[in-house]
């Protein structure tokens, strides 16, 4: 996690004179369902511990149907459209009306209806799928460069990792294999490279992988289990700076694997941030799969939009087969800054030259 996230001074609402509700919404797919969940909470003034916090709004949509809405009252506009997802005994209209009334009267202002009343009475299996996706299927790596696979200290002898060794070889590693070895100081097994010193005697040396392998190799080896897990379980993987120190062709291969329906049978999703415009490629990603983030210099708020938002007509049109990369560099899509350090170098050189003359 980013250590700055724990600094109270950087929390966005710390300077508000009057409290404003906090809103959150997310839309995703799980178990072949399109789920959209929204919530708005009144948390009160910043750091006011005695404030009577309460949930102002809560809504669940499944396949674009509003299952329930909770504000001052509880409403179920489309239960009939999702009745196959509900408890079987709710098909009785009279019993359903009683349960609706009970849910309304027992609504707690500080409890989520989704994970309490709705889960217990109406749709435990549906809620279990939603919470499982949020807790286990959604994986976020905010600092992918800091990701390390560490294991409990178990074996005194090196344990060779065949999968990691194969990955390293494809990166061009000259080591014989990658292995985990116990670190007596930290009491965890850490990744090492096995380097052969003599072909005849098969003698070798164990060197910490971070010292012997390229940074990109070690970084990708540590990320690979997360990629594999997403493909195996149909997860959604968000990675910050996924391509840092890794060749673009490798990233393109991973993108193609996620697009390959024969491999990605469980519809795993990969979302990553990059500063490399080489991925603005119509043969690699659809227009709606390419997103931009542009920050306002005054408010510091970020705006998120898609390449497909520009449409197919006009000067900034985005057409199939067009050169996205070229148009990006002539600032057709925004999210680019004209940065020039020339004056800084010139001024510094002048200062250095003046200091030398004196």
């Amino acid at each position: 996690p980013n250590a700055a996230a724990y600094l109270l001074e950087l929390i966005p609402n710390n300077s508000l004179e009057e409290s404003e509700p906090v809103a959150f919404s997310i839309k995703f797919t799980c178990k072949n369902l399109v789920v959209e969940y929204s919530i708005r909470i009144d948390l009160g003034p910043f750091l006011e511990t005695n404030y009577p916090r309460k949930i102002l709004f809560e809504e669940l949509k499944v396949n674009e149907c509003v299952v329930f809405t909770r504000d001052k009252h509880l409403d179920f506009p489309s239960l009939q459209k999702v009745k196959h997802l509900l408890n079987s005994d709710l098909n009785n209209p009279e019993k359903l009306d009683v349960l609706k009334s009970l849910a309304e009267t027992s609504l707690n202002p500080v409890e989520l209806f989704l994970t309490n009343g709705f889960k217990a009475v109406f749709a435990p299996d549906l809620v279990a799928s939603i919470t499982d996706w949020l807790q286990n299927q959604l994986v976020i790596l905010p600092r992918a460069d800091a990701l390390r696979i560490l294991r409990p200290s178990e074996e005194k002898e090196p344990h060779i990792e065949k999968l990691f060794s194969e990955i390293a070889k494809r990166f061009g590693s000259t080591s014989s294999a990658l292995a985990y070895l116990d670190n007596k100081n930290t009491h965890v097994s850490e990744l090492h490279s096995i380097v052969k010193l003599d072909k005849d005697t098969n003698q070798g040396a164990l060197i910490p992988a971070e010292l012997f392998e390229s940074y990109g190799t070690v970084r990708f080896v540590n990320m690979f289990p997360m990629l594999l897990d997403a493909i195996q379980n149909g997860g959604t993987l968000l990675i910050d700076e996924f391509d840092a120190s890794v060749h673009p062709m490798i990233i393109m291969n991973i993108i193609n694997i996620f697009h390959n329906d024969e491999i990605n049978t469980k519809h795993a999703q990969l979302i990553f941030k990059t500063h490399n415009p080489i991925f603005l490629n119509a043969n690699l990603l659809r227009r709606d799969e390419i997103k931009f983030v542009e920050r306002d210099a005054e408010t510091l708020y970020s705006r998120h939009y898609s390449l497909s938002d520009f449409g197919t007509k006009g000067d900034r049109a985005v057409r199939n087969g067009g050169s996205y990369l070229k148009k990006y560099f002539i600032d057709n899509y925004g999210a680019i800054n004209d940065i020039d350090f020339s004056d800084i170098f010139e001024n510094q050189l002048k200062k250095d030259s003046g200091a030398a003359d004196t």
Side-chain angles (χ1 to χ4, degrees), residues 153-191:
S153 180
E154 296 176 348
E155 300 182 17
K156 295 182 180 180
E157 298 297 324
H159 175 71
I160 295 177
E161 287 286 345
K162 293 182 179 180
L163 176 61
F164 291 174
S165 300
E166 178 64 26
I167 294 171
K169 285 181 180 178
R170 300 204 179 188
F171 263 79
S173 172
T174 57
S175 61
S176 301
L178 294 182
Y180 277 93
L181 181 65
D182 178 26
N183 185 318
K184 296 180 180 179
N185 295 322
T186 60
H187 300 291
V188 294
S189 294
E190 297 176 347
L191 195 62

Side-chain angles (χ1 to χ4, degrees), residues 163 223-233:
L163 176 61
M223 282 194 297
F224 189 83
M226 311 295 286
L227 296 165
L228 182 60
D229 182 74
I231 292 289
Q232 289 175 329
N233 299 298

Side-chain angles (χ1 to χ4, degrees), residues 76-93:
F76 301 87
S78 308
L79 274 186
Q80 289 300 318
K81 295 182 180 180
V82 294
K83 62 182 181 180
H84 60 290
L85 302 173
L86 306 178
N87 282 339
S88 57
D89 57 352
L90 294 180
N91 292 326
N92 184 328

Side-chain angles (χ1 to χ4, degrees), residues 251-270:
I251 303 300
M252 290 179 183
N253 177 254
I254 297 299
I255 293 172
N256 288 330
I257 287 173
F258 274 79
H259 280 155
N260 189 328
D261 292 336
E262 295 182 1
I263 298 177
N264 189 7
T265 58
K266 294 188 177 180
H267 310 294
Q269 187 178 14
L270 173 65

Side-chain angles (χ1 to χ4, degrees), residues 63-358:
N63 293 341
E64 306 300 328
C65 296
V66 179
V67 179
F68 73 77
T69 298
R70 173 246 189 107
D71 42 33
K72 293 182 179 179
H73 301 284
L74 197 56
D75 191 23
F76 301 87
S78 308
L79 274 186
Q80 289 300 318
K81 295 182 180 180
V82 294
K83 62 182 181 180
H84 60 290
L85 302 173
L86 306 178
N87 282 339
S88 57
D89 57 352
L90 294 180
N91 292 326
N92 184 328
E94 293 183 0
K95 186 173 183 178
L96 183 58
D97 289 340
V98 171
L99 292 175
K100 287 181 179 179
S101 177
L102 180 62
E104 172 83 30
T105 56
S106 61
L107 200 60
N108 190 317
V110 296
E111 289 184 349
L112 297 178
F113 180 63
L114 175 71
T115 53
N116 288 279
F118 187 71
K119 175 183 178 181
V121 177
F122 294 90
D125 293 339
L126 172 61
V127 176
S129 298
I130 293 173
T131 54
D132 176 69
W133 188 89
L134 290 168
Q135 293 173 349
N136 302 314
Q137 300 296 97
L138 176 62
V139 180
I140 303 174
L141 302 179
R143 283 290 307 274
D145 61 322
L147 183 66
R148 297 290 183 274
I149 298 175
L150 301 177
R151 300 186 175 182
S153 180
E154 296 176 348
E155 300 182 17
K156 295 182 180 180
E157 298 297 324
H159 175 71
I160 295 177
E161 287 286 345
K162 293 182 179 180
L163 176 61
F164 291 174
S165 300
E166 178 64 26
I167 294 171
K169 285 181 180 178
R170 300 204 179 188
F171 263 79
S173 172
T174 57
S175 61
S176 301
L178 294 182
Y180 277 93
L181 181 65
D182 178 26
N183 185 318
K184 296 180 180 179
N185 295 322
T186 60
H187 300 291
V188 294
S189 294
E190 297 176 347
L191 195 62
H192 284 68
S193 298
I194 299 178
V195 183
K196 284 189 177 181
L197 302 177
D198 191 318
K199 294 182 180 180
D200 297 328
T201 62
N202 206 31
Q203 288 184 341
L206 276 169
I207 304 174
E210 293 188 358
L211 300 180
F212 184 81
E213 308 292 346
S214 71
Y215 179 68
T217 300
V218 175
R219 193 170 184 271
F220 191 80
V221 162
N222 280 294
M223 282 194 297
F224 189 83
M226 311 295 286
L227 296 165
L228 182 60
D229 182 74
I231 292 289
Q232 289 175 329
N233 299 298
T236 297
L237 185 59
L238 283 76
I239 307 179
D240 183 29
E241 303 290 357
F242 177 41
D243 59 319
S245 302
V246 180
H247 196 283
M249 294 298 291
I250 294 173
I251 303 300
M252 290 179 183
N253 177 254
I254 297 299
I255 293 172
N256 288 330
I257 287 173
F258 274 79
H259 280 155
N260 189 328
D261 292 336
E262 295 182 1
I263 298 177
N264 189 7
T265 58
K266 294 188 177 180
H267 310 294
Q269 187 178 14
L270 173 65
I271 303 171
F272 67 92
K273 189 184 81 173
T274 178
H275 291 287
N276 192 342
I278 196 172
F279 300 111
L280 290 171
N281 188 326
N283 296 320
L284 186 67
L285 297 165
R286 300 192 313 265
R287 287 170 291 185
D288 61 307
E289 291 178 320
I290 299 173
K291 314 290 183 180
F292 298 100
V293 178
E294 187 169 57
R295 190 191 312 176
D296 187 288
E298 294 183 2
T299 65
L300 301 183
Y301 289 145
S302 294
R303 185 168 63 96
H304 177 265
Y305 54 97
S306 171
L307 183 61
S308 59
D309 292 343
F310 291 93
T312 57
K313 297 180 180 179
D315 295 336
R316 300 206 295 176
V318 181
R319 301 182 180 90
N320 288 330
S323 177
Y324 304 157
L325 183 62
K326 179 180 178 181
K327 288 191 174 183
Y328 174 72
F329 276 115
I330 60 175
D331 201 15
N332 265 28
Y333 309 136
I336 188 172
N337 292 324
D338 184 14
I339 300 175
D340 186 1
F341 295 104
S342 300
D343 59 325
I344 295 178
F345 278 92
E346 291 172 356
N347 292 335
Q348 193 60 46
L349 289 172
K350 289 178 180 178
K351 289 180 181 179
D352 293 344
S353 176
D357 292 341
T358 57

